[in-house]
Amino acid sequence: MKLKTLTLGLAAAGLTLSSVAQAATVEYWTMQTQSDRLQTIEVMADVFEALNPGIEVKVVAVDENDMPKQIAAAAASNTLPDLIEVGSNLSLAFAEQGITDADAATAVVNNLGKDRIYKGALKMVEDPEQNKFVAVPYSGWVQGIWYRADWFKEAGLEPPTTWESIEKAAKYFNKPEQNQYGILIGTKADSYAEQVYTQFALSNDAGQFDKEGNLVFNSAKQKEALDFYKQLSEYTPPGPQTWRARDYYLQGKLAMFFYSTYIMDDLALAEAAASSLGTSNFADLKGATFDPELAKNTRLATTVTHSSPSTFGTLTGFSIMKNDNKEDLEATKAFVEYMNEKDQVVAYSHMAPGGHLPMLRDIAETDEFLNDPKGIFNRYGKESIKEIIAGFDNIKDFSIVDGKAFPKSGEIFSKQIIPRMIYSAVIEDQDTQKSLDWAEKEMQQIITK
């Protein structure tokens, strides 16, 4: 590669690899296909090459949706890459196929320091039976309840972190006669509703599968979660609602709403907020000017707790593929460690502030990380950002139980069974047990195929 220019703090990035012979190659597949992001990654690879003569890094962009198919083809032809950047579900699935090197990933995790990595993120890529990690956690986003901290303080209410405190605040702030609502949850049959519901269900230890792979969705705990979700919907703007109703929040007409950390720029920057400040999306919203204090007055409760703490989100990590070439393997491990140095982590995170949050907690608290090019993080403040990223300590997913991935969960997701269940219970006002019975039957049909 031709060396490009990017400020990455090369002094910190310098490393020598006495154990790596000349002419080692690291073929790295990344899901970052946008040209600007890909260019940033290529520059990081160029710097690594410059610091480690004899090692070549080949960066290959692969669309996230194409990754399973491309990996299957590469495995069949014995042309697997050395390193892939994928979500935790795929990391576990590939590990079960026997094509990843858990020993190498575990060695990198140990070299980085397990205590530096958010514990929930590690659990997402852990093989507890082998006491190994199938991937090295790198970045991700979390979902939670964004709320008006200034309103809560004035009302003397606790942050919305438990079922009880969430419902209390939703009821308190719900004033439909003033076109103000307590909370936004998904009530339309779409993926947003499933993401929100999943966090509540897992906070009540209500899963889809047990660790043996048995379907356990239709349970008393699941009914309790759906009953509570239905209750909360009374404090949500009317009609089937999805993420678009964030407009109510940006126009000062909503106390709480569920969203991922991708919303951070919309709350902080006038140009990003513009699409939510008009009158075209909702007839009952009259439009509003941008509130420059909104980010400062907003906090995110990443974790919802009832029976246990639960955060919903996605985790992306580095899976090291099996390779008989020891020189390539050692170079790959060194490259992953290099990518986890502060300058590289910060550069990667700044490609999508809020969407690529770092998994190394000490880096997430540095001034360099907080100083993103658009000044988004600084508008929230260090303590708020620290609270947001700490949600990775409790991140959970329906598809992973005790370190085992259940791909059928992905098929269930694709059929929108849970969103349709929510719609029937909330919008069509069907008995929650009947909605659960229907969902269980639909899931069973997928599993027995």
Side-chain angles (χ1 to χ4, degrees):
M1 294 181 183
K2 183 180 178 181
L3 186 62
K4 304 178 183 71
T5 301
L6 184 69
T7 303
L8 288 174
L10 300 187
L15 59 149
T16 59
L17 303 174
S18 58
S19 61
V20 178
Q22 296 293 302
T25 301
V26 178
E27 184 173 331
Y28 163 37
W29 288 12
T30 174
M31 298 186 299
Q32 307 306 318
T33 58
Q34 298 95 321
S35 59
D36 56 337
R37 298 184 188 181
L38 187 58
Q39 184 179 28
T40 297
I41 290 173
E42 287 177 337
V43 172
M44 288 190 270
D46 286 344
V47 172
F48 179 81
E49 288 179 339
L51 293 166
N52 298 279
I55 300 178
E56 180 184 7
V57 180
K58 296 180 179 179
V59 179
V60 180
V62 179
D63 185 88
E64 180 179 5
N65 296 316
D66 293 335
M67 188 68 78
K69 179 176 62 179
Q70 296 288 352
I71 288 294
S77 61
N78 198 29
T79 58
L80 282 168
D82 300 285
L83 180 69
I84 58 174
E85 168 202 318
V86 292
S88 56
N89 288 359
L90 284 180
S91 292
L92 287 161
F94 293 150
E96 286 188 354
Q97 295 170 26
I99 58 176
T100 61
D101 191 333
D103 288 329
T106 302
V108 172
V109 168
N110 288 334
N111 285 342
L112 293 173
K114 288 192 292 186
D115 292 343
R116 299 175 63 205
I117 303 172
Y118 293 100
K119 60 184 180 181
L122 281 174
K123 287 183 179 180
M124 295 282 282
V125 293
E126 183 181 19
D127 180 347
E129 293 182 1
Q130 302 293 325
N131 195 27
K132 296 176 183 178
F133 301 103
V134 302
V136 181
Y138 194 62
S139 72
W141 55 259
V142 290
Q143 168 189 278
I145 301 177
W146 299 86
Y147 66 99
R148 288 293 300 257
D150 53 339
W151 292 11
F152 273 69
K153 182 178 180 180
E154 184 179 349
L157 293 172
E158 294 294 320
T161 58
T162 66
W163 284 21
E164 293 76 18
S165 60
I166 292 168
E167 184 176 17
K168 182 177 180 180
K171 184 176 182 180
Y172 180 88
F173 290 117
N174 197 58
K175 302 173 183 178
E177 70 282 358
Q178 299 177 27
N179 201 27
Q180 176 180 299
Y181 298 93
I183 190 169
L184 169 63
I185 60 173
T187 55
K188 186 178 180 180
D190 63 6
S191 58
Y192 172 76
E194 178 157 358
Q195 288 179 196
V196 177
Y197 178 80
T198 298
Q199 190 163 359
F200 280 114
L202 293 179
S203 74
N204 201 39
D205 297 318
Q208 277 184 349
F209 299 95
D210 63 19
K211 61 183 179 180
E212 282 78 36
N214 301 307
L215 185 66
V216 293
F217 187 77
N218 194 354
S219 64
K221 283 184 172 292
Q222 200 73 251
K223 184 178 185 302
E224 186 180 9
L226 186 56
D227 283 337
F228 182 70
Y229 199 86
K230 187 172 184 177
Q231 176 66 28
L232 278 188
S233 71
E234 296 183 9
Y235 312 118
T236 281
Q241 289 294 0
T242 186
W243 64 268
R244 180 75 263 176
R246 68 183 189 179
D247 294 7
Y248 286 87
Y249 189 86
L250 274 85
Q251 293 193 30
K253 295 294 184 180
L254 186 65
M256 302 176 282
F257 74 115
F258 275 85
Y259 217 93
S260 78
T261 43
Y262 271 103
I263 193 68
M264 294 181 75
D265 58 344
D266 296 83
L267 301 180
L269 304 175
E271 59 270 26
S275 65
S276 292
L277 297 176
T279 60
S280 58
N281 295 321
F282 297 96
D284 57 345
L285 286 179
K286 307 305 179 185
T289 57
F290 175 69
D291 179 2
E293 298 297 313
L294 186 58
K296 179 182 177 182
N297 289 327
T298 295
R299 299 301 280 264
L300 172 61
T302 56
T303 302
V304 173
T305 301
H306 195 54
S307 297
S308 65
S310 171
T311 299
F312 182 87
T314 64
L315 171 69
T316 297
F318 290 120
S319 287
I320 299 173
M321 313 307 283
K322 284 189 174 177
N323 191 339
D324 293 332
N325 187 312
K326 292 185 177 180
E327 288 76 18
D328 288 354
L329 178 60
E330 290 303 315
T332 300
K333 290 162 64 178
F335 179 69
V336 175
E337 290 189 31
Y338 159 82
M339 289 293 286
N340 276 280
E341 292 175 356
K342 181 173 69 174
D343 295 307
Q344 285 66 255
V345 171
V346 169
Y348 188 98
S349 298
H350 287 176
M351 293 192 301
H356 291 171
L357 298 173
M359 292 300 97
L360 294 173
R361 66 175 74 239
D362 52 311
I363 293 178
E365 296 174 11
T366 62
D367 292 336
E368 291 88 343
F369 168 69
L370 293 172
N371 190 28
D372 65 278
K374 293 184 178 180
I376 295 171
F377 294 147
N378 278 321
R379 285 175 167 83
Y380 290 86
K382 180 178 288 190
E383 285 305 310
S384 183
I385 298 298
K386 184 177 178 180
E387 288 176 0
I388 289 170
I389 306 180
F392 282 101
D393 276 331
N394 297 300
I395 191 169
K396 294 181 179 179
D397 192 307
F398 270 144
S399 66
I400 299 174
V401 181
D402 290 342
K404 185 175 178 59
F406 295 100
K408 289 294 184 181
S409 184
E411 293 185 44
I412 291 170
F413 176 84
S414 70
K415 298 297 184 182
Q416 294 190 314
I417 294 172
I418 291 176
R420 288 154 61 195
M421 176 194 75
I422 293 168
Y423 185 89
S424 70
V426 174
I427 301 300
E428 296 178 340
D429 198 27
Q430 180 168 265
D431 176 75
T432 53
Q433 186 58 59
K434 289 184 178 179
S435 296
L436 277 169
D437 292 343
W438 173 85
E440 173 96 352
K441 182 179 179 181
E442 293 292 308
M443 291 179 186
Q444 197 66 54
Q445 289 178 1
I446 291 175
I447 292 170
T448 55
K449 281 184 180 179

